[in-house]
Amino acid sequence: KSFKMVASKKTKKAMESINSRLALVMKSGKFTIGYRSTLKSIRQGKSQLIIIANNTPALRKSEIEYYCMLAKVGVHHYSGSNIDLGTACGKYFRVAVFVSRTW
């Protein structure tokens, strides 16, 4: 039982860390939200890190991962849903894909 608690604490701490970094990126204004603008950003070579919500459709997720592999861009799978990612971004709507131009 104690092992599960440690693991959950670790994931919670990592989640908080990512959320605080997301807040910084949002303040800087160097980000893009959305699937189509994400693909544009990857093609133009303007993205450094892509964050994908865990309930993004598989085909969409794999397409973004493929583009990132070709462009040598980092991908992070956000452990929360698109609603959680939207909240972490400080938006009142769902966000499936988030692109950071500075990380």
Side-chain angles (χ1 to χ4, degrees):
K1 285 185 177 181
S2 63
F3 178 72
K4 283 184 180 178
M5 284 181 65
V6 171
S8 68
K9 275 186 183 177
K10 195 172 185 180
T11 55
K12 196 173 186 181
K13 193 171 184 181
M15 184 91 141
E16 285 173 12
S17 167
I18 289 165
N19 287 352
S20 60
R21 300 272 305 263
L22 265 174
L24 272 173
V25 172
M26 293 298 289
K27 265 189 183 174
S28 76
K30 297 185 177 181
F31 67 91
T32 305
I33 289 175
Y35 170 71
R36 288 168 60 193
S37 57
T38 296
L39 293 183
K40 275 185 193 171
S41 174
I42 295 170
R43 277 191 230 115
Q44 292 169 354
K46 291 182 178 178
S47 49
Q48 282 192 347
L49 179 74
I50 311 294
I51 300 175
I52 305 173
N54 69 352
N55 64 340
T56 306
L59 184 64
R60 195 169 272 205
K61 197 181 286 189
S62 63
E63 187 179 1
I64 291 167
E65 287 168 351
Y66 179 69
Y67 269 88
C68 289
M69 181 202 63
L70 293 175
K72 296 181 178 129
V73 176
V75 177
H76 179 269
H77 296 281
Y78 192 74
S79 56
S81 68
N82 55 4
I83 297 168
D84 299 331
L85 185 55
T87 305
C89 293
K91 301 293 180 188
Y92 294 110
F93 49 83
R94 297 168 293 187
V95 175
V97 187
F98 176 88
V99 180
S100 171
R101 287 186 246 148
T102 58
W103 192 255

